[in-house]
């Protein structure tokens, strides 16, 4: 009864006007924050399997322009949802009301970041911005939804530089359906959630949580903060009811209701496969079909079909030549079916920092779809949304995590590949001529694979001018006068990118009398490495990699090497580094090797890591002296 009263009081306060004075925000919450969540109430009433009501109130204070996108009032909904009691009040720094808005002031748009194409997903958005800071936005609304499969997690916030004063989340379950919940503590003890349970009624609270700064290798907030997840054992999605009490139940429902109705081939698709004249191993056949599919399709966002979770029919993709991740994956699967090759639709969380599904807590989740093909030599993984990406190569945002592989008899949870430092290799060979006017002219060959391959795919999308602009930023340790890229090759069979650079750079060497000094490594990763004795959070190296450089310096005529650094060798748990120097006739050969390890490290090791990176930076900048004979 006490908990019910708490929920009732919480809801009663939803529509009481309040003033929020910025000076009342505790100073510790302002540090590293662009926005402060002053108050947040989410009340959820589950009435039956196809009736859920969300009542939401948020009050946020915007401290600077960086927080404007976060502060814009918006409501995501689907056709058929009922959105009501929409109210927005804007306050100035002193808590004085500036203006108020209602639902009629909102703009209704397709909830698609790429613009309106095909979408059942909608968004009400209030195009409000302020030219003066700080200000506060109070925003409340109610939403009645028939879809009960998407009960959101309760997490303090998802983004960097957001602080929170108080957030409450209450659920009243009147449906008679078992509601599961699971509390995930912060793995780093950053904060905790207060939990009050009474049968099917649950109330959770967060208070006074400082912002997480994006600087200095901090893991994403989702990996730092606690959260509470929820899921009904039985649910409704666009009139399709099912069970998610186990991954098996959910997989069978998913396969029968979302995939089977659109797993339909046509004579045209059969003819496509016949025209490919497939032969050879399973891998060779899959590669030929995949590259055929890549060459005839393109990615376009399509949010239609059973809550935007059902793929387009393969016939539509085949005729129109486009689709989203669901449609393109389903089309590729249908092509493989026609070739007699078994494959599986796989749901994944595509994020820069790996986020996996909980094998012990079945829940509707995921934001992307890929395809997996089992073979005698291991699984083949296909990313179907890119026309450029290599065969059997997953990008940085889909490796090292698990997927929900949908099969006729349920879901298998499988692991995607994890790339080692050797897999994520970069190679750089530079031939550099040192000129007496302090300039250098050079030719370079660059090769990248693994995740470094992913990062260099962007050049395929750029004009020649844009490529040069990006190259100057990426290789900013050189002051380019001229720069030209040539022989760019995206090897889709080996997942490697190769290209050549021709360049001239200014002010590389510094005259000292009749001599010159210059640094050992022309192109390296710049960084500002500062100690932090008061660090509160761990740090993350998000991917492992290794780089091998070979630099051949050609000395000016009548010059010799008077002084050069000693060979260097560094080893730590974070990685290793080696640099060597060798005189060969009138040339200097510099070899550089660096390997960095992936991992999350304790805050106590941060200064040790910084010291390691400083030593590498100093070695890269070690000086060589050449003098006139």
């Amino acid at each position: 009864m006490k908990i019910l009263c708490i929920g009732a009081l919480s809801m009663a306060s939803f529509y009481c006007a309040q003033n929020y004075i910025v000076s009342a925000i505790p100073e510790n919450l302002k540090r590293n924050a662009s926005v402060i969540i002053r108050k947040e109430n989410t009340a959820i009433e589950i009435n039956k399997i196809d009736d859920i009501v969300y009542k939401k109130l948020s009050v946020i204070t915007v401290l600077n322009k960086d927080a404007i996108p976060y502060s814009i009032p918006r409501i995501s909904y689907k056709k058929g949802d009922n959105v009501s009691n929409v109210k927005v009040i804007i306050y100035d720094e002193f808590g004085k009301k500036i203006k108020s808005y209602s639902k009629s002031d909102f703009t209704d748009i397709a909830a698609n970041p790429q613009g309106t194409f095909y979408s059942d997903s909608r968004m009400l958005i209030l195009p409000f911005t302020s030219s003066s800071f700080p200000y506060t936005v109070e925003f409340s609304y109610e939403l009645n939804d028939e879809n009960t499969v998407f009960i959101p997690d309760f997490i303090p916030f998802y983004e960097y530089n957001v602080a929170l004063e108080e957030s409450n989340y209450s659920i009243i379950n009147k449906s008679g359906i078992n509601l599961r919940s699971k509390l995930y503590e912060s793995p780093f003890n950053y904060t905790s959630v207060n939990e009050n349970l009474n049968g099917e009624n649950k109330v959770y609270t967060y208070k006074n949580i400082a912002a997480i700064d994006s600087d200095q290798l901090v893991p994403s907030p989702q990996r730092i903060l606690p959260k509470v997840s929820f899921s009904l054992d039985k649910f409704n999605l666009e009139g399709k009811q099912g069970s998610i009490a186990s991954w098996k139940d959910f997989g069978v429902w998913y396969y029968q209701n979302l995939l089977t109705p659109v797993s339909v081939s046509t004579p045209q698709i059969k003819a496509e496969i016949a025209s490919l004249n497939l032969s050879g191993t399973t891998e060779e056949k899959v590669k030929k079909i995949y590259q055929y599919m890549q060459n005839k399709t393109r990615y376009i966002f399509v949010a239609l079909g059973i809550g935007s979770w059902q793929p387009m029919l393969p016939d539509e993709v085949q005729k129109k030549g486009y689709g989203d991740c669901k449609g393109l994956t389903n089309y590729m699967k249908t092509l493989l079916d026609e070739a007699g090759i078994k494959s599986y639709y796989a749901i994944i969380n595509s994020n820069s920092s790996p986020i996996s599904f909980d094998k012990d807590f079945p829940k509707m989740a995921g934001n992307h779809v890929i395809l997996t093909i089992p073979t005698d030599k291991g699984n083949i993984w296909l990313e179907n949304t890119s026309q450029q990406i290599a065969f059997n190569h997953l990008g940085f945002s889909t490796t090292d995590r698990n997927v929900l592989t949908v099969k006729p008899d349920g879901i298998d949870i499988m692991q995607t590949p994890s790339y080692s430092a050797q897999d994520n290799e970069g190679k750089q060979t530079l031939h550099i001529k040192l000129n007496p006017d302090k300039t250098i002219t050079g030719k370079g060959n660059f090769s990248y694979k693994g995740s470094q391959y992913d990062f260099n795919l962007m050049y395929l999308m750029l004009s020649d001018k844009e490529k040069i602009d990006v190259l100057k930023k990426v290789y900013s340790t050189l002051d380019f006068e001229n720069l030209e890229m040539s022989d760019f090759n995206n090897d889709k069979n080996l997942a490697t990118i190769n290209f050549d650079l021709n360049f001239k750079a200014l002010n590389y060497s510094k005259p000292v009398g009749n001599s010159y000094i210059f640094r050992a490594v022309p192109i390296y990763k710049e960084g500002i490495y500062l100690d932090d004795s008061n660090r509160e959070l761990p740090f993350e190296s998000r991917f492992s990699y290794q780089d091998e450089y070979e630099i051949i310096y050609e000395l000016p005529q009548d010059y010799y090497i008077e002084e050069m650094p000693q060979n260097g060798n560094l080893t730590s748990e974070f990685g290793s580094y080696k640099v060597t120097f060798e005189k060969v006739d009138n040339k200097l050969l510099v070899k550089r090797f660096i390997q960095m390890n992936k991992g999350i490290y304790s805050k106590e090791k941060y200064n040790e890591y910084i010291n390691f990176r400083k030593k590498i930076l100093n070695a890269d900048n070690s000086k060589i002296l050449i003098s006139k004979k």
Side-chain angles (χ1 to χ4, degrees):
M1 192 66 176
K2 180 181 177 183
I3 292 175
L4 289 173
C5 289
I6 292 173
L9 288 171
S10 173
M11 294 311 304
S13 67
F14 260 36
Y15 307 109
C16 296
Q18 298 185 58
N19 293 333
Y20 293 91
I21 302 170
V22 174
S23 61
I25 298 172
E27 288 302 315
N28 68 303
L29 296 186
K30 292 180 182 178
R31 187 166 64 92
N32 297 325
S34 294
V35 59
I36 312 288
I37 300 171
R38 310 292 297 276
K39 188 175 185 63
E40 188 172 62
N41 287 335
T42 300
I44 300 175
E45 296 176 0
I46 306 168
N47 296 313
K48 51 186 179 178
I49 195 170
D50 59 355
D51 183 7
I52 187 169
V53 179
Y54 299 90
K55 299 180 181 181
K56 303 197 75 171
L57 165 75
S58 65
V59 181
I60 64 169
T61 294
V62 181
L63 299 179
N64 53 54
K65 62 181 178 60
D66 294 335
I68 288 176
Y70 190 96
S71 70
I72 295 174
R74 68 199 79 192
I75 306 167
S76 296
Y77 74 100
K78 291 274 197 314
K79 291 179 180 178
D81 292 348
N82 180 39
V83 180
S84 61
N85 294 327
V86 180
K87 185 177 181 181
V88 176
I89 303 175
I90 311 298
Y91 301 95
D92 67 11
E93 178 180 359
F94 306 102
K96 180 181 177 182
K97 178 179 174 180
I98 299 173
K99 194 168 183 179
S100 62
Y101 299 89
S102 65
K103 183 178 178 180
S104 62
D105 297 306
F106 281 66
T107 301
D108 194 332
I109 63 172
N112 175 7
Q114 291 138 340
T116 304
F117 197 73
Y118 291 130
S119 182
D120 282 335
S121 300
R122 306 295 300 174
M123 180 178 290
L124 290 170
I125 186 167
L126 180 67
F128 166 82
T129 56
S130 175
S131 57
S132 60
F133 302 92
Y135 62 90
T136 297
V137 180
E138 181 179 355
F139 176 33
S140 59
Y141 66 92
E142 294 184 21
L143 185 147
N144 190 289
D145 192 353
E146 68 171 0
N147 296 325
T148 52
V149 72
F150 300 115
I151 300 174
D153 291 342
F154 183 41
I155 187 170
F157 42 79
Y158 287 89
E159 299 180 37
Y160 294 105
N161 306 112
V162 176
L164 182 146
E165 282 194 75
E166 183 177 352
S167 179
N168 299 288
Y169 192 107
S170 63
I171 294 185
I172 300 175
N173 182 15
K174 304 174 183 177
S175 68
I177 302 167
N178 183 48
L179 174 66
R180 290 175 289 111
S181 63
K182 187 168 182 178
L183 193 157
Y184 300 83
E185 301 283 0
S186 167
F188 310 110
N189 297 315
Y190 190 70
T191 190
S192 61
V193 59
N194 181 58
E195 180 180 39
N196 287 288
L197 307 179
N198 183 6
E200 291 297 313
N201 304 306
K202 308 171 188 289
V203 179
Y204 302 88
T205 303
Y206 295 113
K207 286 188 176 180
N208 299 319
I209 302 176
I212 298 172
D213 195 10
S214 59
D215 291 343
Q216 300 298 323
L217 304 175
V218 175
S220 70
Q222 286 172 271
R223 301 196 73 177
I224 292 172
L225 295 168
K227 73 173 181 180
V228 188
S229 287
F230 307 90
S231 184
L232 286 168
D233 279 357
K234 297 184 182 299
F235 65 88
N236 180 71
L237 178 60
E238 303 289 328
K240 303 285 186 179
Q241 295 184 1
S243 169
I244 197 171
S246 68
W247 285 121
K248 177 179 174 62
D249 289 349
F250 184 54
V252 170
W253 176 88
Y254 203 111
Y255 187 87
Q256 293 177 351
N257 289 272
L258 299 188
L259 299 185
T260 299
V262 294
S263 298
V264 181
S265 187
T266 63
Q268 291 83 0
I269 291 174
K270 293 178 189 292
E272 284 184 297
I273 289 298
S275 70
L276 294 178
N277 298 313
L278 299 172
S279 63
T281 65
T282 298
E283 183 176 5
E284 289 168 337
K285 292 176 183 178
V286 174
K287 180 188 289 186
K288 190 167 186 177
I289 297 170
Y290 178 68
Q291 292 180 344
Y292 164 80
M293 185 275 300
Q294 279 186 302
N295 290 333
K296 71 161 293 180
T297 61
R298 68 190 191 279
Y299 174 84
I300 288 181
F301 184 86
V302 180
L304 293 175
I306 308 185
S308 303
W309 281 74
Q310 187 170 62
M312 293 170 60
L313 283 161
D315 180 50
E316 289 185 76
V317 179
Q318 189 267 334
K319 289 178 179 177
K320 296 176 179 177
Y322 60 71
D324 61 8
C325 63
K326 305 183 300 295
L328 294 171
T329 296
N330 189 48
Y331 173 53
M332 181 65 196
K333 184 180 184 305
T334 306
L335 290 170
L336 291 171
D337 287 343
E338 284 297 339
I341 299 170
K342 188 170 291 186
S343 64
Y344 298 107
Y345 190 91
I347 306 159
I348 193 167
N349 287 301
S350 177
N351 307 83
S352 60
S353 196
I355 295 175
S356 288
F357 300 98
D358 184 344
K359 62 183 179 61
D360 298 320
F361 192 83
K363 175 181 170 64
M364 182 71 131
N367 59 10
H368 189 49
V369 174
I370 57 178
L371 200 66
T372 182
I373 300 98
T375 74
D376 293 338
K377 296 180 179 179
N379 294 320
I380 295 172
W381 297 92
L382 299 181
E383 169 57 66
N384 302 289
T385 60
S386 171
Q387 295 173 292
Q388 290 80 31
I389 202 166
F391 169 74
N392 197 18
H393 174 82
L394 292 183
F396 175 63
S397 65
T398 50
T399 54
D400 192 25
R401 65 205 71 198
N402 62 25
V403 298
L404 305 179
T405 307
V406 185
K407 298 183 177 182
D409 58 352
I411 278 175
D412 277 354
I413 298 182
M414 301 172 63
Q415 197 72 20
T416 62
S418 180
Y419 295 155
S420 67
Q422 292 80 8
D423 295 326
N424 297 329
E425 184 180 53
K427 288 190 174 181
Q428 183 185 121
T429 303
L430 297 176
H431 294 266
I432 290 179
K433 183 178 180 181
L434 293 158
N435 303 314
D437 62 354
K438 302 186 294 182
T439 67
I440 56 172
T441 51
K443 295 182 178 181
N445 175 260
F446 298 78
S447 177
Y448 299 100
K449 65 181 185 177
S451 293
Q452 299 210 61
Y453 166 83
D454 304 333
F455 303 151
N456 284 274
L457 276 174
M458 64 175 176
Y459 291 113
L460 291 167
M461 311 296 221
L462 304 178
S463 67
D464 289 342
K465 181 182 181 305
E466 289 170 332
K467 287 177 185 175
I468 299 306
D469 291 341
V470 170
L471 285 166
K472 286 180 177 179
K473 291 179 181 178
V474 172
Y475 304 132
S476 59
T477 52
L478 287 178
D479 179 13
F480 291 107
E481 181 180 67
N482 297 309
L483 179 60
E484 177 184 304
M485 175 188 276
S486 60
D487 296 327
F488 189 95
N489 178 43
N490 173 23
D491 189 326
K492 290 186 178 181
N493 294 315
L494 298 177
T496 60
I497 278 179
N498 300 279
F499 58 84
D500 293 334
L501 292 182
N502 293 323
F503 59 88
K504 181 177 181 180
L506 306 174
N507 302 313
Y508 188 71
S509 54
K510 180 180 179 181
V512 181
N514 291 326
S515 303
Y516 289 91
I517 57 172
F518 58 93
R519 69 172 182 268
V521 180
I523 297 173
Y524 58 90
K525 183 176 178 62
E526 282 190 297
I528 299 173
Y529 301 109
L530 301 174
D531 293 343
D532 186 356
S533 300
N534 299 314
R535 188 178 182 91
E536 297 177 349
L537 288 169
F539 62 99
E540 180 179 20
S541 179
R542 290 197 172 180
F543 79 104
S544 55
Y545 70 91
Q546 72 178 36
D547 288 333
E548 293 187 43
Y549 294 2
E550 183 174 276
I551 307 147
I552 301 102
Y553 287 102
E554 181 181 340
L555 275 57
Q557 188 173 0
D558 297 328
Y559 277 78
Y560 70 100
I561 299 170
E562 184 172 342
E563 292 181 13
M564 65 180 184
Q566 296 291 318
N567 295 341
N569 198 345
L570 300 170
T571 303
S572 82
E573 67 175 300
F574 313 114
S576 59
Y577 173 89
K578 184 177 182 180
V579 62
T580 63
F581 304 89
E582 182 182 358
K583 299 176 185 179
V584 182
D585 299 327
N586 71 324
K587 295 177 180 162
L588 172 65
L589 175 62
V590 179
K591 291 186 176 181
R592 176 190 189 264
F593 172 87
I594 182 172
Q595 182 181 98
M596 295 300 296
N597 300 325
K598 176 180 179 177
I600 293 182
Y601 302 93
S602 69
K603 61 183 181 181
E604 290 79 14
K605 294 182 178 180
Y606 183 72
N607 287 341
E608 182 183 340
Y609 170 82
I610 291 298
N611 187 47
F612 177 64
R613 295 309 302 248
K614 284 180 177 178
K615 287 179 179 178
I616 293 173
L617 191 62
N618 290 338
D620 286 341
N621 277 287
S622 58
K623 298 301 186 284
I624 298 157
L625 177 68
I626 61 173
S627 299
K628 200 169 182 66
K629 295 179 182 176

